[in-house]
Amino acid sequence: MSRGGKPAVWTALVTVLVLGVATWSLWPSAPEVREREQAITVIDGPDDDRRVTLDTSFFPPAEGGRAPAVLLAHGFGGDKRSVREEAVRLAGEGYAVLTWSARGFGRSTGEIALNSPDYEVKDVRQLVDWLAGRPEVLLDADGDPRVGVTGGSYGGAIALMAAAHDARIDAIVPRITWHDLADALFPEAGGRGPENGVFKRMWAGLFFGRGGLPQGPAPSPSGPADPAGAAPRPLTAQEARCGRFLPEVCDLYQRVAASGRATPEAVRALRRSSPISVPGKIRVPTLLLQGRRDSLFTLAQADANARAVAATGAPVGVAWFDGGHDGGNGETDWIHEQTLGWFDRHLRAGAGETPVNSPFTVTRDGGRDPGTRRPVQAHATSGRYPGLSGTVRETVPVDGPAQKVAAPPGGSPASISSVPGLGGAGGLGGLGGATALNVSADMAGQSAHFDSAPLTTPLQVTGSSTVRVRVRPGDEATGGSGRGTPAREAILFAKLHDVTDGAQTPLLPEGLVAPVRIGIPEGGAGEAAVTLPAIDHRFDAGHRLRVTFTTTDLGYSTPSAPAVYEVELASPVLAVPVDPSLRAPSGGLTWWTWTLPPVALAVAAALLLTGRRRRREARDPALADLPLRISGLSKAYRDGEPAVDGLSFTVERGRVLGLLGPNGAGKTTTLRMLMGLIHPDAGEIRIFGHRVVPGAPVLSRLGSFVEGPGFLPHLTGRANLELYWRATGRPAEDAHLAEALRIAGLGGALDRAVRTYSQGMRQRLAIAQAMLGLPDLLVLDEPANGLDPPQIREMREVLIAYAARGRTVIVSSHLLAEVEQTCDHVVVMHRGRLIAAGPVSELLGGRASTHGPGPRLEDVFLDLIGENA
Amino acid sequence: MNDVNGSGPLEAGVRADGSASGYLARRTLPLSVEFARQFRRRRTLVMFGLLVALPWILVAAFKLGAGSAQPGPTLRLSDLATEGGLNFAAFALSVSASFLLVVAVALFCGDTVAGEAGWSSLRYLLAAPIPRDRLLRQKLVVAMAYSAAAVICLPLTALLAGTLAFGWNDVRVPGTGETIAALEILPRFGVVVGYVLVSQFVVAALAFLLSASTDSPLGAVGGAVGLVIVSNILQAVEALGPPREFLPTFWNAAWLDALAPQPEYGGMARGVAVSVTYAAILVAVAFRRFRRKDVVS
């Protein structure tokens, strides 16, 4: 690393850090969203004579000014607080958001009327009036605010109902809600309507139960709850029975729940609370977000809503997301994105250049997050919503013999498809959060199976499959003895299983089941075309489709009288909807997958090419015979202190030059520059006329031993020298290895690992390494360190003889006696500067001795460096 | 010791570039020499010993602890390790890829230059002279070859150990527990091993850059391993959103997608892109810094 560059790097790093922190702390944070709580009094009822105080919260748009408004409704059993987070988010996006506790919920007064046009719908109309008077709300006309409505479940239904009854509403996003409450609670998959439906008793019980008991302090009938909190009082009989329901609604529920059959009157009442009662009246852009895991308000409910709205010509979007009343992921962020996208497009002028919403979106399994290995969702989209019968209908042969199934007395034990309230425990309006449990179980003797052959290719089913089933009394063969008349009708629960041939239990996609009530004519067989639950499910190759009919289901009312039926398929085919146009955006080979590596390679190439040092004229033929010329050489330490300062000298061929100087004189730094290890700040070094740069070829004529030996400790001395020579790439015969080894004089130790060597042994091995190839210029730094006196003398002779043949030797040392005896020339350095150079004899001759008979180099040296005062 | 000076030819073959006879920059530090220099090191041998031993230790652990573990509600890779040799190899790879192999790669690439600096042998190699770019290149090639050998060695040994211990069976995939024919999965297994190697490029490149920048082998290895740890921590924070995708370790487990019934290569493609990107830039920086560096070790 360049020592000079390091402070710059640190400065840059610190600067970036400081800038980052500053930007982060000064970055304009999202404007804070305020909440204004307000009690709004509304008048409703069939005769407009009921006064109800609604507990509301208004969130002005975060950006100020006039903005479109959003009415955000809560789910059943919740209140305005359960949608607060969502409201804050929408207000943060620049909408004026109004949330309220519906009548009968939270601190609002009044009773629950199930989104009745006479009650809740009138309330919402007056909330729209209130919005029209707000200075924060954008108006389409006087008294007509630009407003959208959204909400889940109970709140989704009020969005639809309000849009039908109030033309001022401009767009709606109802979630996980119903089209026909009667059909949702009394489904019948044979198309015979809710009057013949099978009572969804567990869901209905939960649904009505949430409104049954007052939540929090019981409100006084005339106004909002006392903030101080009224003292708890025992419930009256009416409250215990009906909670906060309107008595008519309560009575209705009690009647149908007790009988398990929907009376025409009940169907009429439930439909008054349902979009089915207002055909052709919802004419605003509608985005229907329905949960795939929802056994309460199924995908079929959203489908019916979509068809109803589309019939008026208004734009409709449908999405089946991973959520619903039975749990699932909930996809809170995605739901927010979609809702925001819809409102941006339909409530804001000029917005929505790139639509967020697709006409049809289905959330599918997107594999796992590569970082956390947690499941993620993929969103498959299509340009057209095909309904529940797909764009294509495929027929899959299913087969099986006629099978006898028993309906147990009392309907118990019951098969289980899903357990209402388990997954969606977060509240009916909540989007759930727990992953759905696969609790599905079929009771033995109660179910009939009809299997397809194993699939040869995967089959993605998107919508409702249909199958024709035939039922006849199963105990006719025995004459129905003693059991009274054979059953006149059969209730069956149809399911579509995904079956693998193996130990695994069959999978019931989303735990959905379709109840069907089949009338059986006397002495004959009843037949029905059964619409199976709408799902989006991939049946993999090798799997089978299995149509199952069971006589019981935990979630539904079934007759308590025992019966036996014989079930067979009226035609051995299953019609399966598929939608090949529904595709997830390609698993995302995003643009950067292809662009990043080439860009990185280009950057890398640029880094490498610009990092090259330009070679200046490297060769000076005039100096080809001069082993070493150093001119103007300077190098400063990182602190700016010069280590070598304007050093110049030359070394002639055949010389043994002593480089003298006290510790810190700059000798070693000079030698490192000579070896091309350090870049000089100024000046140059030429060996035989060739400039020394890192890796200059001329360095191959230099043998060096500087600042101690450097060997691979795990290898033997011999292996070290051999590998070193092979690393130079030169022919083995040029190494003169035997001679070098003789100089090292290590004997048997040569074949031991270097880590076992003494300091002196390493020193000798290193000098031998420097002499490998008999270099023309040999540089030895303190060669006598660690050698004993006989070895020192031997070394001296070797060096003198080495130079005698025309080679050149440079010995750096602080031992004056050593230099005096070995060298013919000396260069004296002190504090990085040259202070004397010349033949030893000349230096000695020029001085008079101060301490004794003859001049000694030590005296000269001390004189020169000014220590001999 | 005295006649050393008599025999040598003096300046017998001096060439225009001033080099001694027989010297050619492109012949310096041949790969075979660098392989030999690194191979005999205790570090190298211990690391390979560990990689070879680990699968057998795992086999022993599964044999000894057989039947004691209750499989959970979903099938994990570890529940299926004893299904057969291929399953076992996948398991061994999954438990070692995130750390053991990272350490091995960081060791081979982080020690290569800094180790020489620590021994003081770097300066003699540079003065030989081996041109700096060439020294780095040869060392990178050898370090990567050792890293590749480590990454390949582990699954191969695991395959051998697993096959001997649990038989040559078809692969059961985690999650659904479906089986895939052994011969069908074998090429994918090759892709997986290749991907694991490529995903280690970032660690290798960072270790190499640190190695070329510092004289401390421990610092180079530790720095690279530290990066992986920090990156692993950050990638678990889903709140960071899409930028996580550019964390160097984010896609490291994407090879599991290749062992699904329907192999999915999108994640691996992105992982390769991220890995190659980081590696290219880090290696280029390493070369650039080393060229300008004052070698003072």
Side-chain angles (χ1 to χ4, degrees), chain A residues 440 442 495-499 506-508 539 544-546 548:
Chain A
S440 130
D442 289 338
K495 313 175 186 184
L496 182 59
H497 279 113
D498 181 346
V499 185
L507 177 75
L508 180 62
F539 293 83
R544 296 170 190 272
L545 279 68
R546 170 179 290 173
T548 305

Side-chain angles (χ1 to χ4, degrees), chain A residues 242-311:
Chain A
C242 291
R244 299 181 67 179
F245 277 107
L246 208 62
E248 302 94 282
V249 177
C250 178
D251 293 344
L252 174 92
Y253 172 68
Q254 302 233 326
R255 274 199 306 279
V256 299
S259 72
R261 290 300 289 261
T263 58
E265 174 208 1
V267 171
R268 249 195 327 275
L270 289 171
R271 283 188 167 165
R272 262 178 65 72
S273 296
S274 303
I276 193 174
S277 64
V278 286
K281 290 180 73 178
I282 304 171
R283 302 161 193 274
V284 293
T286 303
L287 176 64
L288 294 152
L289 304 173
Q290 202 78 348
R292 288 176 48 194
R293 300 183 191 216
D294 204 326
S295 53
L296 176 58
F297 301 132
T298 59
L299 298 175
Q301 297 285 334
D303 179 61
N305 275 330
R307 277 184 280 121
V309 178

Side-chain angles (χ1 to χ4, degrees), chain A residues 484-506:
Chain A
T485 52
R488 289 273 65 87
E489 62 172 25
I491 291 178
L492 292 176
F493 298 91
K495 313 175 186 184
L496 182 59
H497 279 113
D498 181 346
V499 185
T500 45
D501 291 332
Q504 278 173 293
T505 50

